[in-house]
Amino acid sequence: MTEREERRFAEVPRESIKLMAESSGVELSEEVAALLAEDVCYRLREATQNSSQFMRHAKRRKLSVEDLNRALRWSNTETICGYGAQDALPFRPLKEGELFFVEDREINLVELALATNIPKGCAETMVRVHVSYLDGKGNLEPQGTVPTAVQSLSEDLLKYYQQITRAILGEDPHLMKVALLDLQSNSKIAALLPYFVYVISGVKSVSHDLDQLNRLLHMVKSLVQNPYLYLGSYVRSLVSSVMYCILEPLAASINPLNDHWTLRDYAALLLSHIFWTHGDLVSGLYHQILLSLQKVLSDPVRPLCSHYGAVVGLHALGWKAVERVLYPHLPAYWANLQAVLDDYSVSNAQVKADGHKVYGAILVAVERLLKMKALSLTLAAEGSGAGLPAGCPWEEWTPVSLPAMYCELYSFFGDSLAVRFSTGLPLGGQNSVHIMMITFCCFVLRAFLTGGLFLSRVCRSLARSSSSSVSRSRSSSSRPGRSTSQSRDIFPKARFPLPQAGPPAFSFIIGGRQMGRRCQGRRFQTSFSPTPPLTTHPPRAYAHKLPVIGRVSKPVRRWTCSHYSLHLPL
Amino acid sequence: IIRQKIPKKKKTYYAAHVMTPLLSAPGKKMAAVQDAPMELDAEKETKPEILSDGTSNLSGNTASGTLSSPPLTAGGAPKQEDQQTLIAVLQFLRRNKLTESVEILRREACLEDQEDSQTLDGSGGGKGDGDGGDANSLLSRVSIASAAAPQSTLTPIPVKSEYDQPDVSVVLSAYSQQGDPSLYQVYYSSLKNFIESVLDCHRAELSQLFYPLFVHMYLELVYNNHENKAKAFFEKFSGDQECYYQDDLRILCGLTKKEHLKGNEALLDFRTSRFVLRISRDSYQLLKRHLQERHNNQIWNIIQEHLYIDIFDGMPRSKSQIDSMSGSFAGETRREVNKAKVFYGLLKEPEIEVPLDDEDDEAENEEGKPKKKKTKKDSMGSKSKKQDPNAPQQNRIPLPELKDSDKLDKIMYMKESTKRIRLGPENLPSICFYSFLNAYQGLTAVDFTDDSSLLAGGFADSTVRVWSATPKKLRKVKSAAELNLIDKESDDVLERIMDEKTASESKNLYGHSGPVYGVSFSPDRNYLLSSSEDGTVRLWSLQTFTCLVGYKGHNYPVWDTHFSPFGYYFVSGGHDRVARLWATDHYQPLRIFAGHLADVTCTRFHPNSNYVVTGSTDRTIRLWDVLNGNCVRFFTGHKGPIHSLAFSPNGKFLASGSTDGRVLLWDIGHGLMIGELKGHTDTIYALKFSRDGEILASGSMDNTVRLWDSMKAFDDMETDDFTAATGHIHLPDNSQELLLGMYHSKSTPVTHLHFTRRNLLLAAGAYNSQ
């Protein structure tokens, strides 16, 4: 028979036949063994063939031991006992003796009999009716969304479930706290897990209600923290709910008064928490998360709040994620962001404010990236590789060297990046706040310039965001950065001309540029140049001249030669 | 010719033996049924049951070949041969110790003397020469059928092996005198070259020869101990065979020793039944000329001996036409087989005075709905007034009389049907899924009652469970002692006899000793049938939830059973390759339908109860006449074992589903395949037409329910005279157009489908947690 045929059937080699004969005390000649082997193979095939009809009639796909035994019985052959177990029996080789055997451990009956954990009986076979499709359309409710429909919930559990959900989603904050605490520590709610997961998956239906979203996220947190719960594959569902809060343009964010930014920050933290504590339960989760974040980030159609979510999500997942997804993506993204930030039209004010949020988030993320990378490098250099921040070992890509990265980032962020590295000490922290405030004041001013009517609103949101990002920057910058040692005491001084009466006409530039290799220092310049009156220039051209927050494009380069540039030795 | 003689004689025997007259009025006089001829039969049948099986199988087997052929004329063959046939039969009977039958046959055929003179020859068992040899080989052919039927193994084993052995060798010995095996490859490839060189229109037809020739030549090589030659032959030519023969080839390729042939039923079947091919006259002439020119006697012999070539006049068929009909164990259908008239029409509905007015209003009031206008002497009623020309006579098969409760049920049915939703491509049914949870035991069969109030499941752990699908709980009847205390005159006596203490949602029925493969409710909801691997069919009472009767006869796993739509009769089919017709009050089968070459996997009653359809592992479908046990339709075309069958509600059409994932549609009246529905990716275990027949629902192992536009499928088929006469149909490949919807369950294979009286689709299956 051909190779193909050989492989199609299991063959029993004559050596095996001989061995079997030997074990029962019969010596076989080569010829007899060959004949027997062939016959055994044939009989085996026959039995298998016959047994398959029992499988087919039992409406199964898997051939069972029982099927084979039935076939044997109907062909007047002795059945084989002892292989009816549901679990697969491991077939082990013993190297020395070229022996294969099925492991058959001894069971201590006494122990088994006296064991206290009496196995529970199987649940009763039952029939569940379920309207699957109505008028041939739509799946009303996918069958088996609640797999525990198989187990019936006890009365107590059901009551508990109702109470908890009512407390968490209800109005009373105190009650909610108690419920969340209990959810964190209760050891007997495993059966309810799918129900809770189901409730949480309702985030999609309350996307207009920040409060409810927050409560649901807290519920996730409690579930994740509960040490008695094995989340298993529900992790996926939880993650998708959390991701929804991070990434989706929630209905709540239409109203700029709603602080959906905090929700996103919180959800991002939660995501990282789930990932670091339960990420091993679902294989490939990390990649999936990164992928969906990347998708959002690279989709220019998405609103800025989604982009913001993606950035904080990446930030929360650790500097490696930032390095891997955000960093390579930055040049492309930057152009879009810049366009938004450069648009001073009145109608764009809200969007622009959002843009600054994103900008801030990116800044924080890359700062952390640089610092952690520097830290890891120094640690690696010192030979204490164990101290590396827990990265993801399965990541593989060629890392960009730190200086190169810094240079590139600097080209984007210019001084605002540099500034952040000059704040190492608590004292410096104050300064950093100051600098940040200056930066944001600029935003405010610009907003004022473009549309005074929106000033108050924008101001408020900016103030809030600046304080949040400042606090973040402070905490993160408390670690010693690479560049802090020398540059901390040299701060850029930004000067503000007073707002003038009439159409304001000034600009404020914090720009940077890439340095030549030989240069021993960094330059940055702060330039103020009076702009021509608004009346003479169309807004677009005006905006064009205000590439405010640095960019790689030519104009910045040109400006590096300006008189205001300062030399900053590193 | 000789072969065709046997059945005739066999039939007389059969008539005396198995063909009990169907009971004249089964409902009433059960005691009176055992009339004289019946007694005789019963006596005979009970003695060695196995033998009766063997013989009945035999008779059926031959019946399948000839039943539908025109009646044989007595003078058709030389008398000498006729007698030899009889002698062979006699020998067989004697060997099986059926002395009474022997006597009867002798008397009838006036055979006494000749028979005596020839017995010695025959019992000598020589394979040789002359007259005796002729008879002997005949005998062997006959008895091989019984040997092939696994039934016979149930006799004391030594006996079996005694007469099993020589018979097989005699049959196989036909292979021994053939020519030089080393030339087989040459022969085969020369034929192959020839077929490949002929015109395209003939090539497809002649290519049909490849498979049967290949198998026969291979077996011949194996039988003559040319193991290596056989392997080489297989290796060289197995790749040429059609893909749908893969399963058979797999069995074949395992066979390399003469000894293996002996125990293999599938191959004995192949050997004993002639492979049927349909070839146009032109193609046949071409083939004949070629073989004669080349003196390729080897091939010619095989064709003559083992193949049956059904020659037709007209255009050769195309490849797709051939492919759509082939694939079965034994080739295609002979054209004449499907010529018999089938009364596929529905029986006239009994006239029932429907007290529509008051009851209807009551029902409406209960539901709190506004009263509707009545006048519901609806279409149902008017339709039943006229006698359908295609319907059988009302009393062709004796049917049980309607009881009062049946009439009530009919009224309920009519009421429900007025509220029925008219389905169509625009208006698809809602689907309700009954998931069996925690069916660790393995759910093997499901059935709903017609009014969808009860649900029964058969399980691999030998239990049958009945659930109530309505809030009404299941109750047993009180014990005899308690029943005595009841006031029998009271109006609510039927309510009083029920034992409230036993009310529960489900009841378990214990009794089988093997997996339950088939369950079927009686139409009046009083009984439940279950068929099992233990070889029995059991009848359960749904009043007491106990077993009433165990019908023994199959002796091998019984794969399916189905109640007649009028109750009383039921049919069962199993591993012994026969289907049996039973009446609930008889412990013996009334009819044995034999002819399938492999297991009978599913059985269904025609809506008019006059016919029974069976599907088999041999990939064929047969329609049997309940009245005389004849096979009146024989359908080939499936490429895998058939696991589901469904009649359209008007009785005109049949749908069949198989392991190959295809549903085929058949026109019963014309005996034609009229549609092929492709789409399922796994075995189809459930088929059901909607109540009005507009929609066909199919449920499969692939976890989907699909809905098909059966109206369109039936309408699209043009049944002009030509196609009807030749049976050569062009199947339009329109599965996608006909597919109206596909519905997934999450992880539940669909084992059963049922349309409620209002056309809601119920599906059932066991949730599979893996």
Side-chain angles (χ1 to χ4, degrees):
Chain A
M1 227 139 276
T2 55
E3 275 303 295
R4 197 163 50 91
E5 307 303 341
E6 293 283 352
R7 259 184 281 117
R8 202 189 282 176
F9 296 120
E11 296 272 338
V12 180
R14 61 187 72 166
E15 290 78 32
S16 305
I17 297 287
K18 277 178 121 179
L19 271 174
M20 284 178 222
E22 251 172 57
S23 70
S24 53
V26 186
E27 277 288 326
L28 289 183
S29 72
E30 197 69 23
E31 253 174 79
V32 176
L35 280 175
L36 268 178
E38 197 163 346
D39 196 56
V40 165
C41 292
Y42 175 74
R43 299 295 161 199
L44 264 178
R45 282 171 215 159
E46 202 181 25
T48 319
Q49 214 117 44
N50 290 341
S51 57
S52 71
Q53 66 183 342
F54 290 98
M55 174 190 75
R56 278 205 310 271
H57 282 282
K59 292 162 181 146
R60 260 185 284 121
R61 278 198 199 85
K62 202 166 146 193
L63 192 72
S64 73
V65 178
E66 194 58 16
D67 291 332
L68 192 71
N69 270 341
R70 282 187 212 288
L72 290 178
R73 198 155 61 228
W74 284 112
S75 55
N76 285 329
T77 314
E78 228 175 286
T79 56
I80 304 163
C81 300
Y83 293 87
Q86 291 290 316
D87 321 323
L89 294 169
F91 199 58
R92 291 178 186 282
L94 194 71
K95 279 208 181 99
E96 304 87 63
E98 284 187 13
L99 204 62
F100 295 85
F101 64 96
V102 175
E103 202 171 20
D104 192 7
R105 283 206 211 96
E106 276 183 29
I107 294 170
N108 189 341
L109 275 181
V110 179
E111 244 172 54
L112 193 71
L114 298 178
T116 45
N117 56 336
I118 300 159
K120 281 180 214 133
C122 304
E124 184 69 14
T125 307
M126 50 158 71
V127 185
R128 272 286 157 90
V129 196
H130 171 96
V131 180
S132 310
Y133 296 92
L134 204 59
D135 294 334
K137 279 181 260 7
N139 201 345
L140 292 185
E141 179 191 337
Q143 186 196 9
T145 30
V146 184
T148 38
V150 177
Q151 314 164 356
S152 50
L153 284 182
S154 71
E155 285 285 308
D156 297 343
L157 274 179
L158 215 70
K159 215 177 250 171
Y160 175 84
Y161 166 76
Q162 285 166 350
Q163 294 285 354
I164 287 280
T165 42
R166 212 170 287 156
I168 292 180
L169 298 178
E171 294 298 311
D172 187 347
H174 178 70
L175 214 57
M176 179 180 104
K177 213 175 247 176
V178 174
L180 286 174
L181 268 179
D182 190 72
L183 213 53
Q184 249 176 61
S185 54
N186 198 322
S187 60
K188 292 167 190 147
I189 54 169
L192 286 173
L193 179 61
Y195 290 85
F196 286 128
V197 170
Y198 182 72
V199 168
I200 289 165
S201 70
V203 284
K204 281 154 204 162
S205 53
V206 292
S207 73
H208 56 279
D209 190 342
L210 276 180
D211 205 34
Q212 293 282 24
L213 286 176
N214 241 323
R215 287 158 185 269
L216 287 174
L217 284 180
H218 277 102
M219 200 158 154
V220 175
K221 193 173 183 213
S222 298
L223 286 178
V224 170
Q225 283 178 338
N226 189 327
Y228 304 102
L229 277 182
Y230 173 76
L231 294 181
S233 55
Y234 291 113
V235 166
R236 205 179 281 276
S237 169
L238 288 179
V239 163
S240 83
S241 299
V242 173
M243 294 278 274
Y244 180 87
C245 290
I246 300 179
L247 293 179
E248 286 309 310
L250 304 170
S253 45
I254 294 169
N255 183 351
L257 291 175
N258 278 334
D259 186 14
H260 57 102
W261 307 103
T262 323
L263 180 83
R264 290 180 202 275
D265 289 343
Y266 180 69
L269 280 177
L270 195 55
L271 177 71
S272 79
H273 184 69
I274 297 177
F275 170 67
W276 290 116
T277 51
H278 293 84
D280 50 334
L281 291 180
V282 180
S283 60
L285 185 67
Y286 183 69
H287 283 262
Q288 275 177 26
I289 295 177
L290 284 195
L291 218 66
S292 48
L293 289 175
Q294 188 177 9
K295 224 173 89 191
V296 170
L297 203 59
S298 59
D299 185 357
V301 183
R302 292 260 193 170
L304 285 165
C305 54
S306 289
H307 292 158
Y308 176 83
V311 173
V312 293
L314 285 169
H315 179 64
L317 282 178
W319 63 273
K320 293 225 165 178
V322 177
E323 182 177 14
R324 193 159 166 207
V325 180
L326 182 61
Y327 174 68
H329 204 71
L330 214 46
Y333 185 69
W334 197 253
N336 293 329
L337 185 62
Q338 193 69 56
V340 171
L341 295 183
D342 286 355
D343 187 352
Y344 292 96
S345 59
V346 174
S347 57
N348 193 47
Q350 180 58 40
V351 177
K352 200 141 78 73
D354 287 359
H356 284 299
K357 284 297 286 190
V358 179
Y359 173 81
I362 296 180
L363 193 61
V364 170
V366 296
E367 181 201 349
R368 168 105 174 280
L369 164 66
L370 287 172
K371 284 186 178 162
M372 293 312 291
K373 201 165 165 75
L375 182 66
S376 77
L377 282 179
T378 33
L379 284 178
E382 285 163 14
S384 59
L388 275 173
C392 297
W394 57 82
E395 290 175 40
E396 279 174 42
W397 82 101
T398 46
V400 188
S401 76
L402 183 62
M405 187 183 278
Y406 183 80
C407 287
E408 190 174 343
L409 289 173
Y410 183 76
S411 72
F412 293 133
F413 295 98
D415 290 343
S416 45
L417 188 65
V419 159
R420 295 184 143 246
F421 283 96
S422 16
T423 58
L425 296 175
L427 190 79
Q430 285 294 332
N431 288 322
S432 127
V433 173
H434 186 65
I435 299 299
M436 288 307 295
M437 284 316 288
I438 292 171
T439 321
F440 286 114
C441 279
C442 296
F443 302 153
V444 175
L445 282 172
R446 205 173 297 115
F448 174 69
L449 294 180
T450 48
L453 282 179
F454 291 95
L455 181 64
S456 62
R457 187 191 299 162
V458 174
C459 219
R460 206 183 309 143
S461 93
L462 280 178
R464 192 161 47 224
S465 61
S466 74
S467 64
S468 74
S469 57
V470 163
S471 65
R472 211 179 306 140
S473 85
R474 188 193 288 156
S475 66
S476 59
S477 60
S478 61
R479 300 178 187 202
R482 186 183 67 105
S483 52
T484 50
S485 48
Q486 287 154 27
S487 60
R488 79 170 79 99
D489 46 359
I490 307 162
F491 294 119
K493 299 274 190 293
R495 285 168 294 152
F496 286 92
L498 286 166
Q500 293 163 358
F506 63 89
S507 79
F508 169 58
I509 294 176
I510 301 175
R513 67 155 211 156
Q514 280 181 307
M515 296 298 298
R517 268 191 206 144
R518 300 217 182 112
C519 268
Q520 284 301 303
R522 276 188 293 140
R523 268 167 212 250
F524 73 95
Q525 71 279 344
T526 321
S527 76
F528 302 94
S529 59
T531 47
L534 273 172
T535 45
T536 52
H537 286 269
R540 191 68 214 122
Y542 174 69
H544 184 73
K545 279 211 163 178
L546 284 171
V548 186
I549 318 227
R551 50 156 66 150
V552 229
S553 53
K554 291 255 158 135
V556 179
R557 290 233 169 136
R558 212 172 48 235
W559 285 336
T560 52
C561 321
S562 85
H563 302 295
Y564 300 100
S565 60
L566 296 169
H567 186 72
L568 180 76
L570 262 176
Chain B
I1 310 161
I2 301 171
R3 238 192 130 233
Q4 293 195 329
K5 287 301 112 185
I6 313 167
K8 202 201 169 188
K9 276 307 136 193
K10 234 42 251 189
K11 256 164 96 182
T12 57
Y13 169 70
Y14 184 66
H17 187 91
V18 195
M19 205 166 308
T20 338
L22 287 168
L23 310 177
S24 48
K28 276 177 158 183
K29 36 175 187 174
M30 290 168 210
V33 272
Q34 301 268 349
D35 47 2
M38 172 81 185
E39 259 167 47
L40 201 146
D41 291 336
E43 197 187 329
K44 231 180 291 170
E45 276 194 6
T46 41
K47 265 191 297 169
E49 191 163 18
I50 322 84
L51 293 178
S52 83
D53 280 333
T55 49
S56 55
N57 190 355
L58 189 170
S59 53
N61 226 339
T62 49
S64 72
T66 54
L67 274 178
S68 44
S69 64
L72 297 163
T73 46
K79 195 148 197 192
Q80 178 67 21
E81 284 185 13
D82 207 6
Q83 279 189 351
Q84 282 175 353
T85 311
L86 283 174
I87 290 163
V89 173
L90 270 177
Q91 279 178 0
F92 176 80
L93 292 177
R94 190 166 303 149
R95 207 182 275 178
N96 291 340
K97 304 195 177 61
L98 291 164
T99 43
E100 283 179 57
S101 314
V102 172
E103 286 300 315
I104 295 168
L105 185 58
R106 264 189 175 179
R107 249 193 333 261
E108 274 191 19
C110 315
L111 261 180
E112 315 252 349
D113 39 344
Q114 293 100 321
E115 192 258 322
D116 277 343
S117 66
Q118 296 223 350
T119 7
L120 285 174
D121 267 348
S123 56
K127 302 170 189 171
D129 36 7
D131 298 345
D134 211 331
N136 206 341
S137 68
L138 250 177
L139 166 64
S140 64
R141 276 193 186 162
V142 172
S143 48
I144 198 57
S146 68
Q151 213 70 12
S152 41
T153 47
L154 254 272
T155 26
I157 287 159
V159 177
K160 174 217 161 190
S161 56
E162 186 201 301
Y163 73 82
D164 209 358
Q165 220 69 337
D167 289 340
V168 175
S169 60
V170 169
V171 167
L172 294 173
S173 69
Y175 278 135
S176 58
Q177 324 102 348
Q178 312 281 348
D180 187 358
S182 56
L183 291 177
Y184 273 27
Q185 289 205 20
V186 181
Y187 290 146
Y188 190 88
S189 48
S190 91
L191 181 74
K192 192 177 149 190
N193 289 338
F194 161 70
I195 291 180
E196 276 168 5
S197 68
V198 297
L199 286 175
D200 281 359
C201 61
H202 299 299
R203 192 190 303 149
E205 288 213 308
L206 292 180
S207 299
Q208 297 177 81
L209 279 169
F210 282 139
Y211 176 70
L213 282 179
F214 172 80
V215 177
H216 278 294
M217 290 174 108
Y218 177 77
L219 290 181
E220 218 162 286
L221 286 172
V222 170
Y223 184 77
N224 292 317
N225 288 323
H226 301 294
E227 191 178 328
N228 292 327
K229 295 245 167 53
K231 280 181 181 173
F233 183 77
F234 189 92
E235 195 182 319
K236 188 158 181 199
F237 298 114
S238 64
D240 301 341
Q241 311 305 328
E242 298 285 350
C243 54
Y244 41 79
Y245 291 121
Q246 278 306 313
D247 287 350
D248 296 343
L249 289 182
R250 203 173 300 137
I251 297 176
L252 265 192
C253 106
L255 272 171
T256 49
K257 293 256 184 292
K258 190 176 174 180
E259 291 73 34
H260 295 162
L261 279 180
K262 284 180 185 162
N264 199 313
E265 292 157 9
L267 293 171
L268 285 173
D269 286 342
F270 197 87
R271 176 65 190 77
T272 47
S273 63
R274 292 175 127 201
F275 198 92
V276 181
L277 300 172
R278 262 198 229 175
I279 294 183
S280 71
R281 190 169 298 283
D282 292 350
S283 305
Y284 181 70
Q285 295 295 354
L286 210 62
L287 174 75
K288 199 168 164 190
R289 207 175 315 132
H290 167 79
L291 290 178
Q292 279 169 353
E293 275 170 15
R294 296 293 180 84
H295 303 289
N296 204 339
N297 289 329
Q298 200 62 39
I299 302 265
W300 189 242
N301 283 346
I302 295 180
I303 292 178
Q304 294 278 301
E305 271 186 47
H306 301 304
L307 308 188
Y308 178 96
I309 299 189
D310 194 2
I311 302 162
F312 63 88
D313 294 306
M315 286 270 292
R317 293 186 296 166
S318 69
K319 178 97 175 73
S320 66
Q321 278 179 316
I322 292 168
D323 280 348
S324 69
M325 300 299 288
S326 53
S328 96
F329 243 47
E332 291 189 45
T333 323
R334 300 179 196 203
R335 262 174 311 150
E336 76 269 8
V337 172
N338 285 342
K339 291 286 181 246
K341 166 103 175 128
V342 173
F343 302 102
Y344 55 79
L346 299 185
L347 294 179
K348 209 170 65 172
E349 288 286 326
E351 303 276 333
I352 301 171
E353 289 303 313
V354 186
L356 272 174
D357 309 343
D358 46 333
E359 284 215 12
D360 212 31
D361 290 350
E362 263 175 40
E364 301 282 7
N365 285 339
E366 272 171 13
E367 289 164 32
K369 284 180 195 164
K371 287 181 189 178
K372 276 192 214 159
K373 290 279 171 275
K374 30 140 194 166
T375 59
K376 280 166 186 166
K377 290 279 181 190
D378 56 343
S379 56
M380 305 300 297
S382 60
K383 199 165 65 185
S384 58
K385 291 271 158 51
K386 271 178 264 150
Q387 172 76 30
D388 185 342
N390 289 311
Q393 291 241 304
Q394 203 71 11
N395 55 358
R396 187 167 180 266
I397 301 285
L399 293 172
E401 276 184 12
L402 285 182
K403 289 176 292 196
D404 286 349
S405 58
D406 297 333
K407 285 179 183 156
L408 271 176
D409 201 51
K410 280 260 186 295
I411 292 167
M412 281 304 293
Y413 175 80
M414 283 179 186
K415 274 193 204 159
E416 288 278 298
S417 55
T418 57
K419 294 174 190 163
R420 182 181 297 163
I421 297 164
R422 282 201 73 80
L423 298 179
E426 303 305 317
N427 198 8
L428 295 176
S430 302
I431 306 177
C432 230
F433 211 107
Y434 284 70
S435 317
F436 285 71
L437 305 174
N438 303 323
Y440 316 103
Q441 314 86 350
L443 178 73
T444 43
V446 180
D447 195 29
F448 284 95
T449 52
D450 187 67
D451 68 349
S452 320
S453 64
L454 295 177
L455 164 68
F459 291 86
D461 69 351
S462 318
T463 59
V464 178
R465 287 154 204 257
V466 183
W467 280 270
S468 167
T470 60
K472 201 176 148 198
K473 295 199 167 174
L474 302 176
R475 292 171 301 177
K476 288 185 191 176
V477 168
K478 287 178 182 165
S479 69
E482 286 174 275
L483 282 178
N484 274 333
L485 304 174
I486 292 175
D487 173 16
K488 285 160 192 83
E489 300 305 316
S490 69
D491 290 339
D492 60 343
V493 66
L494 287 178
E495 187 61 26
R496 288 194 187 194
I497 59 170
M498 306 313 282
D499 188 352
E500 205 55 48
K501 287 195 292 281
T502 59
S504 64
E505 271 179 18
S506 77
K507 295 266 185 240
N508 293 0
L509 306 175
Y510 300 106
H512 282 295
S513 61
V516 179
Y517 291 121
V519 287
S520 178
F521 279 106
S522 72
D524 61 4
R525 295 188 296 283
N526 281 328
Y527 305 103
L528 174 70
L529 278 172
S530 62
S531 69
S532 159
E533 191 244 12
D534 62 13
T536 63
V537 178
R538 278 175 189 273
L539 182 76
W540 309 84
S541 162
L542 298 181
Q543 300 296 334
T544 58
F545 292 98
T546 51
C547 182
L548 301 176
V549 198
Y551 301 94
K552 295 173 185 172
H554 276 289
N555 291 331
Y556 276 84
V558 189
W559 299 132
D560 199 9
T561 185
H562 190 234
F563 243 116
S564 149
F566 296 92
Y568 186 62
Y569 301 111
F570 65 93
V571 61
S572 65
H575 182 59
D576 58 359
R577 300 155 184 230
V578 296
R580 285 155 201 259
L581 178 82
W582 313 74
T584 46
D585 55 1
H586 281 59
Y587 68 98
Q588 296 284 338
L590 302 180
R591 295 282 180 275
I592 294 179
F593 306 114
H596 278 298
L597 296 177
D599 305 27
V600 175
T601 48
C602 54
T603 54
R604 283 291 173 274
F605 252 100
H606 190 274
N608 69 18
S609 195
N610 279 255
Y611 297 92
V612 160
V613 70
T614 56
S616 161
T617 312
D618 67 8
R619 300 165 219 151
T620 62
I621 298 161
R622 283 170 186 272
L623 186 75
W624 309 88
D625 191 337
V626 167
L627 182 69
N628 49 24
N630 286 348
C631 172
V632 287
R633 287 289 178 269
F634 181 51
F635 296 132
T636 62
H638 271 297
K639 314 285 188 266
I642 288 144
H643 275 273
S644 51
L645 291 165
F647 281 103
S648 69
N650 61 9
K652 262 188 182 167
F653 304 105
L654 175 71
S656 59
S658 97
T659 54
D660 59 11
R662 298 180 317 144
V663 176
L664 296 183
L665 302 173
W666 311 91
D667 181 331
I668 296 170
H670 296 97
L672 290 177
M673 183 196 294
I674 53 167
E676 179 187 23
L677 306 175
K678 283 185 280 194
H680 280 294
T681 56
D682 212 327
T683 308
I684 295 160
Y685 279 118
L687 279 174
K688 199 81 172 190
F689 281 95
S690 67
R691 292 281 173 161
D692 298 319
E694 294 109 334
I695 301 262
L696 173 66
S698 60
S700 155
M701 190 86 145
D702 62 11
N703 298 351
T704 60
V705 174
R706 289 173 205 239
L707 301 178
W708 310 88
D709 190 343
S710 51
M711 261 348 212
K712 187 162 152 53
F714 296 145
D715 291 344
D716 281 2
M717 191 56 218
E718 89 292 7
T719 43
D720 54 69
D721 290 341
F722 174 73
T723 44
T726 57
H728 303 159
I729 35 95
H730 291 276
L731 281 184
D733 188 15
N734 56 353
S735 299
Q736 282 314 307
E737 295 165 38
L738 297 176
L739 181 66
L740 296 177
M742 178 172 81
Y743 305 98
H744 286 276
S745 67
K746 192 171 181 192
S747 179
T748 311
V750 185
T751 27
H752 190 76
L753 289 170
H754 176 78
F755 275 97
T756 65
R757 289 172 173 177
R758 297 185 186 189
N759 265 340
L760 171 70
L761 179 56
L762 308 182
Y767 177 72
N768 192 347
S769 52
Q770 281 112 42

